[in-house]
Each structure stands twice: as C-alpha cells, then as structure tokens.
Amino acid sequence: MSDYRVISGVTQALALAVQRAVSGPTSPVSHATVTTQRPDKPTENDHPRVNIYLFHAAPNANLRNLDVPTWSGEGLVQQPILALDLHYLLSFYGNEERAKLDGQLLMGLTLGALHAHPQLSPSAISEMMGDDTATSVQHPVMLTTETLSVHELSRLWQTFPQVPLVLSSAVRATSVLIAEPVQAPPVRTVKSRHFDLTQRPVQTADPAPSPLETSAAPEASEQPEGPSNPVGTVRFTDRFRALWGRR
C-alpha cells in the first residue's frame, strides 16, 4: 500500500501526462512546458506553459470507512487507510494574440488528453515516487474534469490577490490511498490454566430491605406480657359490672 509520498507521486504523474499531451509531434504550440507551482502573474511575453496547482485535498466519501483498523485474535489484520480526492487547478499561459491563442490551444490539448486517458496507472505513480516496483501503489487514480461555475472559479482566484484571472480548469484525482504502518501491540496468549475449587466464595452483606416489604413480626422475647388482644383494651366500668351481676 502507498505511503505519504503518493500525493507528490500523483502530481508528478499528472504533470508528465500533460507534458506528453502538449509537446507531442502534432502539437501546434512549440516548446510548451508544464510547471507545478503556485499560480503566477502572466507577463506580456509569457512562455507557453501549463501550470498544475494542488489547491485542495478532501476525504473520499465512498471510502471513508477504510480508516478503521481491523483486529483479530492474532493481531492487526488491516492497516488504517486514508482515501483522499485531490483537486487541481490547471492554468494555461501563452501568447493570447488573435493569431496565436496559445492558452486556449494548450487547454484543448490538455483536457482532450485527460478525457481520452482518464487514469494514472500504478506503475506511473510508483515510478514518480522513486520505487523500483509497482507494489506500493495497487490501484489506478481516476481523473475527472470538475464543473466549476464562474462564481466558484472567481472565488478560487481571489485567494491570489496579486494574480489576475487566467484561463483555467479544475481536475479531480480520485482516489489516492495512504496507509501508514501501525505497530500493533503484542497479543497476549494463555500460558497455563489453573482452577482453584477449594476457595470459599466471598460472603457479601445482606441487601437492604425494600421499602415495600413489611417488617417481620417481633421475636417472642420482645412481645409484651399478657394476653394479646388484636382489637384493643376493654375496660369494665362499675355500672357494667352491676348490670352484668343482675343476670
């Protein structure tokens, strides 16, 4: 899986693809070059060139869940992967006289070539990263021309205060995968098994009685002396005794 160098590798591979498109044998613009720098102010006798500027990198919505590492009992199964979409601003410079229009010619050559070949191969990206083999980059990067309105394009150029608006277009490269190596902690294994069945269980305190439970009856030693009368105490008056004795 590719590492942190893949972003610069994609930029250089895109610049090489554009260079082949504008400097081919059928190109009407001679000695056209490709640069990868911040947009610059054009001069009166500006050399024909295409400038590629990476102005934004955003997480890919479809592959966003790849950044979750996967674990198993044996350790780390899948490394966390960051999926990015790279947004490039392509600016076209040259002689803009009526007989020349170098910028528009370069724009047609570039966008036509990217539409005909809308991907960067893993081998091309790995070569720009300095790898001898293509094992570091396993998936191609797709190139798509973005649809930016005049308002969005003008706001983008407003971030360069000293640079006037230049003939330009936006291209998106998706998806660029970055996987940094993660050191997984060692997995602890069970060395021995031992069960002690002779140990008594730990006694816990009695739970507090529920407020809904009725209190238990008092012990026999706590009960008052004398006959128990659930109704209450009966008092006999003298009149009652007299009436009771006449019977």
Side-chain angles (χ1 to χ4, degrees):
M1 189 61 64
S2 54
D3 54 9
Y4 64 94
R5 301 172 297 170
V6 68
I7 296 179
S8 62
V10 171
T11 302
Q12 296 179 28
L14 176 60
L16 180 60
V18 174
Q19 181 66 56
R20 292 174 179 173
V22 299
S23 61
T26 59
S27 175
V29 183
S30 59
H31 307 291
T33 60
V34 178
T35 57
T36 56
Q37 59 188 9
R38 190 175 183 273
D40 195 6
K41 182 177 180 180
T43 60
E44 295 181 359
N45 298 324
D46 198 358
H47 184 76
R49 65 185 177 95
V50 179
N51 185 69
I52 302 175
Y53 178 67
L54 175 62
F55 68 92
H56 184 59
N60 184 272
N62 297 328
L63 304 177
R64 199 181 185 106
N65 291 334
L66 291 179
D67 60 348
V68 180
T70 303
W71 302 82
S72 68
E74 300 179 355
L76 185 63
V77 177
Q78 178 179 338
Q79 299 282 350
I81 301 175
L82 175 62
L84 295 176
D85 291 344
L86 305 181
H87 301 263
Y88 292 94
L89 179 66
L90 276 61
S91 306
F92 307 95
Y93 301 86
N95 192 344
E96 292 299 333
E97 295 181 359
R98 185 175 181 180
K100 297 285 186 178
L101 297 178
D102 292 338
Q104 299 182 24
L105 294 176
L106 293 175
M107 185 178 189
L109 291 172
T110 301
L111 298 183
L114 296 181
H115 182 75
H117 306 282
Q119 68 178 8
L120 301 175
S121 63
S123 58
I125 301 174
S126 299
E127 182 180 358
M128 294 301 167
M129 294 171 57
D131 295 341
D132 297 334
T133 61
T135 56
S136 59
V137 181
Q138 302 176 359
H139 303 280
V141 175
M142 305 302 297
L143 303 174
T144 306
T145 303
E146 294 191 273
T147 304
L148 296 181
S149 63
V150 177
H151 178 67
E152 293 173 341
L153 197 59
S154 62
R155 290 188 60 184
L156 178 60
W157 277 97
Q158 287 177 3
T159 58
F160 314 107
Q162 304 299 328
V163 180
L165 179 63
V166 180
L167 182 64
S168 56
S169 179
V171 173
R172 179 181 61 185
T174 182
S175 293
V176 179
L177 305 180
I178 302 176
E180 290 294 333
V182 176
Q183 298 295 334
V187 180
R188 297 182 179 181
T189 58
V190 179
K191 297 181 179 180
S192 63
R193 297 179 176 89
H194 177 69
F195 301 95
D196 188 2
L197 302 180
T198 61
Q199 186 177 2
R200 299 180 61 184
V202 179
Q203 296 182 358
T204 59
D206 296 336
S210 174
L212 299 179
E213 295 180 358
T214 58
S215 60
E219 299 293 338
S221 60
E222 299 179 358
Q223 293 181 358
E225 297 180 357
S228 60
N229 189 353
V231 178
T233 303
V234 180
R235 295 182 179 181
F236 297 97
T237 60
D238 295 339
R239 184 179 179 184
F240 179 78
R241 290 190 183 97
L243 294 175
W244 186 263
R246 295 178 181 178
R247 296 181 59 181

